[in-house]
């Protein structure tokens, strides 16, 4: 397996980026007819250079000021930046613009290539190097300078050797891949193909892909990396994916592909800003994140100069620490990083403390604030999106917090106040029904946010404090004195008997008695085995006594009126259709009943 490094070629228009890459690997990036006609790169171009041990993937971005949006889409996936400056022209506006953008996107290491050295004097080049030193002194960046001419093979070879010595960058593997589409197109005989950089995880051809923006599942026909088909792509690789189940016309630059269930989209995200220009509260901006471009507004948090809410015109499927760029129609205003990609219900003061802790990557404090804000617990399955950490690390952090209960099975964390809320729910159940048979399953059925191991912990704590008694697997009120199995048997049977011809569905029956479904099912099965209760369908169980009375009534209607159907049965039994139809269907099971187009007759009536 070769190491992969992604290198972005950036710089001012006509400074020789495309020519330099062609000299390095023989690939001329301006393939489009309009690019060749105008002699400039209009969109992103991709190629690579390999020595058998390392692959250098090139992203050649356009240098024209009107095409910065395309430049940003390419810069997002870079490991290193190849800043190209023509020796005979020096530092130009887009040199500065591209440097600002790559810096804001978190790229720390630059190879500054002085091209067209054959067109500049040694004095000019020396002066330019001093200007570059001054320029980079404003940024905390690492850089090396190379002098090159496409007509000087030795200079090109020296640059090649330097590229192959670049160390592979570490890419997070959080158990979930992310992939921004920067191009979508069709290939005859293959169908839809997309290109982009694989972020935060690996991808193999057996996996299903989830398109966040379309909320649609897609299949993979094949994956290609550097013109070779591969079974599995690694984090940090530039790959093309041949997708199944969709047309390329349905996909757009900026759409995010990932694994279903891992990322949620929000129109508003909390951010930390790094601004070059003056941006006021409620300013309208263009937001660039990944290869996505959208409109947004900047809403500063209590006039805080650093923290703000970024409100976008569409859902953003972002993750903690993800970088973005802010622009207006003419210039780069600044950028920053996502701190809170998930909308959380917080007061302003609480939110400020939350963002400060995230900015410092103090996740333990951030967890504590979330536990306070989420009164019904919060899911650790979102740890990758919230904090950029694996679920296992999130579990460890939550486990260190005092009075925090962590369900490792269901990946949910609950704070002390949530335990108090559940205790109050339990007291309310017992106030209404002192005979309730409490169990973790019952509480989980009543409230979806309660997972069973959390419910068990709270019930057991209340038992140890003398607030509940425990019999068998049930937690009961201190006043409950009956034998549990006798009580269950009697309660279910007597309730069904009391309901007569309108017995409620089993789950509703169990809910009314405050017993869990598994326990109720066992008792109901026993009653049906003993033929005290008859099962007419999966939702309708009636006592044998009530059914006998019902059959006697239906036979009388047949005798008196000559037939039985939905309407005349309803005249005698003011029941809903679901009961009437079930009872008529049951009548059809008798051999002496004939059903003719919905009317039931006794056989001897038709003779």
């Amino acid at each position: 397996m070769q190491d992969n490094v992604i290198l972005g070629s950036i710089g001012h228009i006509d400074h020789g980026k495309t020519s330099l890459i062609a000299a390095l690997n023989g690939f001329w990036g301006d393939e489009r007819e309009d690019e060749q006609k105008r002699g400039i790169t209009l969109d992103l171009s991709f190629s690579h250079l390999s020595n058998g041990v390392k692959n250098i993937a090139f992203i050649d971005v356009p240098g024209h000021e009107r095409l910065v949006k395309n430049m940003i889409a390419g810069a997002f996936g870079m490991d290193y930046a190849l800043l190209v400056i023509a020796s005979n022209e020096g530092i130009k506006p887009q040199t500065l613009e591209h440097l600002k953008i790559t810096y804001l996107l978190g790229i720390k290491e630059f190879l500054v290539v002085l091209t067209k050295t054959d067109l500049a004097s040694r004095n000019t080049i020396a002066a330019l190097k001093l200007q570059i030193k001054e320029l980079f002194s404003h940024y905390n960046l690492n850089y090396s300078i190379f002098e090159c001419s496409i007509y000087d093979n030795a200079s090109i070879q020296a640059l090649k050797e330097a590229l192959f010595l670049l160390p592979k960058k570490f890419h997070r593997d959080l158990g979930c891949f992310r992939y921004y589409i920067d191009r979508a197109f069709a290939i005859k005989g293959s169908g839809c193909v997309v290109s982009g950089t694989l972020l935060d995880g690996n991808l193999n051809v057996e996996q299903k892909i989830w398109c966040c923006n379309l909320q649609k599942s897609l299949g993979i026909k094949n994956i290609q990396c550097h013109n070779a088909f591969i079974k599995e792509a690694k984090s940090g690789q530039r790959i093309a994916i041949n997708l199944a189940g969709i047309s390329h016309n349905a996909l757009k630059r900026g759409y995010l592909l990932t694994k279903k269930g891992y990322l949620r989209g929000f129109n508003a995200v909390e951010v930390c800003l790094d601004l070059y220009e003056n941006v006021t509260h409620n300013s309208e901006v263009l937001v660039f994140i990944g290869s996505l471009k959208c409109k947004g507004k900047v809403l500063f948090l209590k006039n805080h100069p650093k923290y703000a809410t970024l409100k976008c015109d569409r859902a953003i499927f972002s993750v903690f620490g993800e970088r973005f760029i802010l622009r207006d129609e003419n210039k780069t205003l600044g950028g920053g990083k996502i701190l809170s990609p998930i909308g959380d219900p917080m007061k302003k003061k609480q939110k400020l403390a939350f963002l400060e802790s995230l900015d410092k990557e103090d996740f333990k404090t951030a967890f504590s604030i979330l536990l306070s804000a989420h009164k019904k617990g919060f899911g650790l399955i979102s740890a990758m999106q919230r904090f950029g950490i694996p679920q296992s690390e999130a579990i460890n952090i939550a486990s260190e917090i005092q009075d925090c209960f962590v369900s490792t099975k269901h990946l949910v964390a609950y704070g002390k106040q949530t335990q108090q809320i559940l205790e109050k729910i339990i007291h309310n159940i017992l106030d209404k029904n002192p005979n309730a048979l409490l169990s973790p399953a019952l509480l989980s059925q009543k409230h979806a946010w309660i997972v069973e191991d959390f419910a068990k912990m709270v019930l057991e704590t209340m038992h140890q404090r003398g607030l509940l008694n425990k019999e068998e697997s049930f937690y009961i009120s201190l006043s409950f004195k009956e034998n549990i199995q006798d009580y269950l048997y009697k309660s279910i049977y007597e309730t069904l008997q009391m309901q007569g011809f309108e017995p409620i569905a089993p789950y509703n029956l169990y809910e009314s008695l405050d017993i869990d479904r598994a326990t109720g099912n066992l008792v109901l099965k026993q009653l049906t085995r003993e033929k005290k209760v008859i099962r007419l369908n999966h939702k309708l169980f009636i006592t044998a006594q009530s059914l006998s009375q019902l059959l006697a009534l239906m036979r009388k209607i047949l005798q008196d009126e000559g037939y039985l159907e939905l309407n005349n049965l309803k005249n005698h039994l003011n029941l809903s259709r679901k009961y009437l139809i079930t009872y008529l269907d049951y009548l059809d099971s008798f051999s002496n009943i004939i059903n003719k187009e919905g009317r039931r007759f006794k056989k001897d009536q038709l003779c």
Side-chain angles (χ1 to χ4, degrees):
M1 176 69 69
Q2 298 184 61
D3 285 344
N4 288 276
V5 171
I6 300 177
L7 192 68
S9 171
I10 63 175
H12 197 76
I13 186 173
D14 285 338
H15 275 210
K17 296 186 298 297
T18 303
S19 300
L20 177 64
I21 291 175
L24 288 167
N25 66 4
F27 178 82
W28 190 263
D30 296 337
E31 296 179 310
R32 289 166 39 172
E33 184 179 342
D34 51 352
E35 289 178 321
Q36 294 175 2
K37 186 176 179 180
R38 295 173 62 180
I40 62 172
T41 301
L42 298 177
D43 207 338
L44 304 176
S45 176
F46 308 102
S47 61
H48 74 108
L49 177 67
S50 175
N51 65 354
V53 177
K54 184 172 289 181
N55 263 312
I56 307 294
F58 292 105
I59 305 175
D60 184 16
V61 306
H64 198 287
E65 61 180 334
R66 295 180 181 175
L67 299 170
V68 172
K69 68 179 189 297
N70 293 354
M71 178 269 165
I72 296 172
F76 193 85
M78 296 177 185
D79 293 324
Y80 299 88
L82 191 75
L83 178 59
V84 176
I85 304 174
S87 299
N88 60 330
E89 293 190 28
I91 296 170
K92 292 290 185 180
Q94 288 308 297
T95 310
L96 300 174
E97 182 89 345
H98 286 198
L99 180 59
K100 285 181 180 179
I101 289 169
T102 47
Y103 170 75
L104 288 168
L105 291 178
I107 297 166
K108 301 294 185 183
E109 300 193 46
F110 288 71
L111 292 87
V112 181
V113 180
L114 307 183
T115 56
K116 306 183 183 182
T117 53
D118 54 310
L119 301 179
S121 68
R122 296 308 308 169
N123 288 339
T124 300
I125 292 173
L128 179 55
K129 287 183 177 181
L130 290 175
Q131 292 172 19
I132 291 169
K133 183 179 180 180
E134 172 66 20
L135 175 61
F136 273 83
S137 69
H138 298 293
Y139 304 91
N140 184 23
L141 301 171
N142 298 317
Y143 72 99
S144 303
I145 298 179
F146 299 85
E147 298 179 28
C148 279
S149 167
I150 60 173
Y151 304 110
D152 179 6
N153 289 335
S155 67
I156 297 298
Q157 186 59 35
L159 180 58
K160 275 187 186 180
E161 291 173 3
L163 296 181
F164 287 130
L165 290 175
L166 291 173
K168 179 182 166 120
K169 288 290 185 181
F170 170 75
H171 290 267
R172 299 179 301 181
D173 184 0
L174 306 177
C176 171
F177 70 91
R178 294 189 307 126
Y179 179 97
Y180 281 105
I181 295 173
D182 51 41
R183 273 187 174 180
F185 50 94
I187 294 178
K188 189 174 181 180
S190 296
C192 177
V193 177
V194 295
S195 67
T197 301
L198 188 60
L199 305 171
D200 298 344
N202 300 336
L203 176 67
N204 64 66
V205 292
E206 305 298 327
Q207 286 180 266
K208 280 285 186 182
I209 281 181
W210 181 254
C211 179
C212 294
N213 309 79
L214 299 177
Q215 295 291 288
K216 181 178 176 66
S217 185
L218 307 171
I220 301 175
K221 294 181 182 178
N222 57 65
I223 302 172
Q224 193 177 86
C225 179
H226 302 311
N227 301 319
F229 291 104
I230 58 175
K231 291 288 186 183
E232 183 176 37
K234 300 294 184 182
S235 178
Q237 285 184 314
R238 275 210 58 83
I239 58 172
I241 310 173
N242 189 186
L243 294 171
I246 197 166
S247 164
H248 73 285
N249 293 316
L251 298 171
K252 297 179 181 178
R253 172 176 286 174
Y255 279 13
L256 184 68
L257 305 181
T258 185
K259 189 175 180 180
K260 186 176 181 180
Y262 275 75
L263 296 181
R264 290 183 287 161
F266 295 85
N267 287 70
V269 294
E270 313 296 340
V271 301
C272 175
L273 293 173
D274 187 354
L275 299 173
Y276 291 133
E277 304 287 341
N278 183 43
V279 175
T280 59
H281 181 74
N282 212 32
S283 292
E284 294 186 356
V285 294
L286 296 175
V287 181
F288 296 82
I289 180 166
S291 55
L292 174 69
K293 172 189 173 184
C294 64
K295 294 179 180 179
K297 285 187 177 182
V298 177
L299 307 172
F300 286 98
L301 190 63
K302 279 192 173 179
N303 297 317
H304 198 288
K306 187 177 180 183
Y307 302 128
T309 298
L310 203 55
K311 194 171 183 179
C312 301
D313 65 353
R314 67 196 68 184
I316 303 295
F317 298 88
S318 58
V319 298
F320 171 79
E322 193 164 15
R323 300 280 180 160
F324 61 89
I325 301 294
L326 300 181
R327 285 179 56 82
D328 60 19
E329 293 293 345
N330 302 308
K331 60 184 178 298
T332 299
L333 304 173
K337 64 180 180 180
I338 305 288
L339 291 179
S340 179
I342 294 176
D344 289 299
M346 289 185 185
K347 297 176 182 178
K348 289 183 179 180
K349 186 176 180 180
Q350 193 178 38
K351 184 176 289 186
L352 179 59
F354 182 56
L355 297 182
E356 287 174 341
S357 63
L358 289 173
D359 197 13
K360 294 182 289 188
E361 297 193 12
D362 177 5
F363 296 136
K364 186 174 180 180
T365 299
F367 265 66
S368 297
I369 295 171
L370 281 173
L371 286 170
S372 177
H374 288 269
K375 300 189 186 304
K376 296 181 179 179
F378 73 94
L380 300 182
I381 195 169
S382 61
M384 184 273 284
Q385 185 173 13
R386 281 187 186 278
F387 309 114
I389 59 176
Q391 292 168 2
S392 57
E393 187 176 340
I395 290 170
N396 291 338
I397 293 171
S399 299
E400 294 175 357
I401 298 173
Q402 187 176 4
D403 293 325
C404 176
F405 179 87
V406 181
S407 170
T408 55
K409 179 180 179 181
H410 298 94
L411 293 173
V412 183
Y414 299 97
K416 181 66 175 178
Q417 64 175 347
T418 314
Q419 297 177 33
Q420 294 168 348
I421 290 170
L422 181 50
E423 284 193 21
K424 188 174 181 180
I425 288 171
I426 291 168
H427 284 302
N428 288 340
I429 292 172
L430 293 176
D431 286 344
K432 293 178 181 177
N433 179 11
N435 293 328
L437 300 181
L438 299 170
S439 67
L442 173 66
L443 295 173
S444 184
Q445 286 162 200
K446 284 181 174 291
H447 300 277
W449 57 270
I450 301 173
V451 299
E452 290 192 23
D453 47 354
F454 173 59
K456 184 175 182 180
M457 182 276 293
V458 174
L459 287 167
E460 188 60 32
T461 300
M462 293 179 70
H463 169 52
Q464 292 173 2
R465 285 159 51 199
L467 299 175
L468 296 173
N469 284 335
K470 187 176 180 182
E471 291 291 337
E472 300 178 15
S473 60
F474 301 101
Y475 296 84
I476 54 178
S477 69
L478 302 180
S479 62
F480 190 98
K481 303 299 181 184
E482 297 188 52
N483 176 279
I484 285 180
Q485 294 305 317
D486 291 344
Y487 170 77
L488 283 167
Y489 187 94
K490 180 180 70 173
S491 297
I492 289 178
Y493 179 74
E494 288 182 353
T495 302
L496 286 173
Q497 183 65 24
M498 183 175 62
Q499 290 168 349
F501 300 158
E502 290 184 281
I504 59 176
Y507 289 175
N508 295 328
L509 171 64
Y510 309 151
E511 178 78 15
S512 70
L513 295 172
D514 292 309
I515 59 176
D516 66 77
R517 294 171 185 174
T519 299
N521 285 340
L522 288 174
V523 175
L524 201 55
K525 284 179 181 178
Q526 181 182 350
L527 287 166
T528 54
R529 282 197 304 270
E530 295 173 358
K531 300 194 182 305
K532 285 191 171 184
V533 171
I534 310 300
R535 180 182 187 271
L536 298 186
N537 62 40
H538 70 287
K539 286 186 178 181
L540 205 162
F541 290 76
I542 187 171
T543 63
Q545 184 178 340
S546 295
L547 183 59
S548 177
Q549 294 170 356
L550 177 66
L551 288 172
L553 175 61
M554 289 194 292
R555 290 191 186 100
K556 187 174 187 310
I557 297 170
L558 275 170
Q559 185 68 38
D560 295 345
E561 300 181 22
Y563 67 93
L564 190 61
E565 64 176 5
L566 197 64
N567 289 332
N568 68 341
L569 182 57
K570 187 172 180 61
N571 291 334
H572 294 271
L573 294 172
N574 189 24
L575 302 176
S576 66
R577 287 175 60 89
K578 72 174 183 179
Y579 289 109
L580 298 174
I581 290 171
T582 301
Y583 294 149
L584 287 170
D585 289 344
Y586 179 70
L587 190 65
D588 291 340
S589 65
F590 289 86
S591 59
N592 65 332
I593 299 296
I594 294 176
N595 182 346
K596 293 187 68 176
E597 298 178 350
R599 283 194 171 189
R600 277 77 177 176
F601 302 90
K602 290 177 69 175
K603 278 188 178 179
D604 56 5
Q605 289 177 301
L606 297 177
C607 296

